[in-house]
Amino acid sequence: DIFSTPLSFQGRGRGRGALIAVLLYILSGCTNPDSAPKDVYLLRAGNSRITISDFNKSFESAKTAYHYDAIQNPEILKSVRMELLKQLAERAILTERAGELQIDVSEAELEKAVLSAKEGYPDGEFEKTLLESAVSYDSWKTELKHRLLMEKVIEKDLEQEMNITAEDISKYDAENKEKKQISNEMMVKLLKKKKAEAAYPAWIEQLQKKYKVEINEIEWKKIADS
């Protein structure tokens, strides 16, 4: 089952470098079927379609997160390919869900996230970091928009449904006495995220049933065995 782990929570709440790594990891991906390259599909869910070219481009980016010696190991490469397939399948499903919920990412939201990601970098250094990984700035920005869309779906469809009780708050206080105190509002948000992460596998499994992912088994076998 390619949906056995809560992939959307990977990299969330981490530092700037982690954000870049996550976005590099799954570059390319879902495209509108009308604008997709005329290529054989690898997987699709509803109107969201991942082509062989999409996957190959993403795979080249994914390998940049590994040491050169590591990616010479066939077993590691196989693991990277499978993890990438999970990421792209998940995105196809959440893209479909976003359409149903009429969720989108505005230009203002995107620009705010871009500025946040670039914060602390000297002028031109952020773009240089991307180029060193053979990723264009425009491709990175497009991927960032996809990522924001996925997070908005998770927040609306999952996190907001999490009920936080007085017992939850008391337990958090007891377990975090030595940590810096945060506001009740921030605590509730944090607890909702933790509960949502625990609920994620069952949630994505339900979405998988609704937005069935079709994998081109013939093409995937070629990729997996390469």
Side-chain angles (χ1 to χ4, degrees):
D1 184 357
I2 64 173
F3 300 98
S4 59
T5 50
L7 299 170
S8 282
F9 289 95
Q10 293 178 358
R12 299 183 68 186
R14 297 179 187 170
R16 188 170 57 246
L19 173 63
I20 295 174
V22 169
L23 297 179
L24 291 179
Y25 187 75
I26 54 173
L27 268 167
S28 188
C30 293
T31 54
N32 185 295
D34 294 330
S35 61
K38 301 301 181 183
D39 194 3
V40 177
Y41 84 95
L42 178 61
L43 65 86
R44 57 192 177 194
N47 292 321
S48 297
R49 181 172 179 263
I50 309 291
T51 68
I52 304 299
S53 294
D54 291 333
F55 183 92
N56 289 338
K57 184 177 179 181
S58 298
F59 182 61
E60 290 306 309
S61 294
K63 290 193 297 184
T64 64
Y66 293 80
H67 190 276
Y68 176 79
D69 291 338
I71 60 174
Q72 305 310 305
N73 185 322
E75 289 303 313
I76 292 179
L77 279 181
K78 183 177 181 179
S79 176
V80 173
R81 291 188 182 98
M82 177 57 75
E83 193 68 15
L84 181 58
L85 185 70
K86 293 179 185 179
Q87 291 279 357
L88 296 177
E90 176 190 280
R91 184 155 79 184
I93 289 173
L94 295 185
T95 298
E96 289 299 295
R97 184 60 176 161
E100 183 175 351
L101 295 175
Q102 298 183 325
I103 293 175
D104 199 1
V105 175
S106 69
E107 282 303 311
E109 289 172 322
L110 179 57
E111 288 306 317
K112 182 179 179 181
V114 168
L115 291 176
S116 178
K118 295 171 70 174
E119 187 178 0
Y121 282 92
D123 288 345
E125 192 64 26
F126 184 83
E127 290 79 1
K128 182 181 177 181
T129 300
L130 295 178
L131 287 175
E132 287 174 351
S133 299
V135 175
S136 73
Y137 179 78
D138 287 343
S139 293
W140 174 84
K141 190 173 179 179
T142 298
E143 176 55 34
L144 176 58
K145 186 172 184 178
H146 280 303
R147 197 70 190 177
L148 292 173
L149 182 66
M150 292 166 67
E151 291 186 351
K152 288 181 76 171
V153 172
I154 291 170
E155 181 179 4
K156 182 178 179 61
D157 217 16
L158 189 58
E159 289 179 10
Q160 289 183 5
E161 298 300 314
M162 296 296 105
N163 182 40
I164 304 303
T165 66
E167 182 180 354
D168 292 326
I169 294 175
S170 296
K171 183 179 179 182
Y172 177 88
D173 284 335
E175 293 175 348
N176 296 275
K177 286 181 179 179
E178 305 303 321
K179 295 184 179 179
K180 182 180 179 180
Q181 294 298 309
I182 60 176
S183 68
N184 285 339
E185 182 181 359
M186 289 296 296
M187 186 189 305
V188 169
K189 286 183 179 180
L190 178 62
L191 291 172
K192 279 179 176 283
K193 285 183 181 296
K194 287 186 175 182
K195 281 196 171 184
E197 183 169 357
Y200 183 91
W203 176 71
I204 198 68
E205 184 178 350
Q206 289 303 310
L207 290 184
Q208 182 190 7
K209 293 175 181 177
K210 184 172 185 179
Y211 311 106
K212 187 172 179 57
V213 175
E214 180 184 352
I215 297 176
N216 187 330
E217 297 292 351
I218 294 176
E219 295 301 326
W220 171 242
K221 190 175 187 307
K222 292 177 184 177
I223 293 172
D225 293 343
S226 62

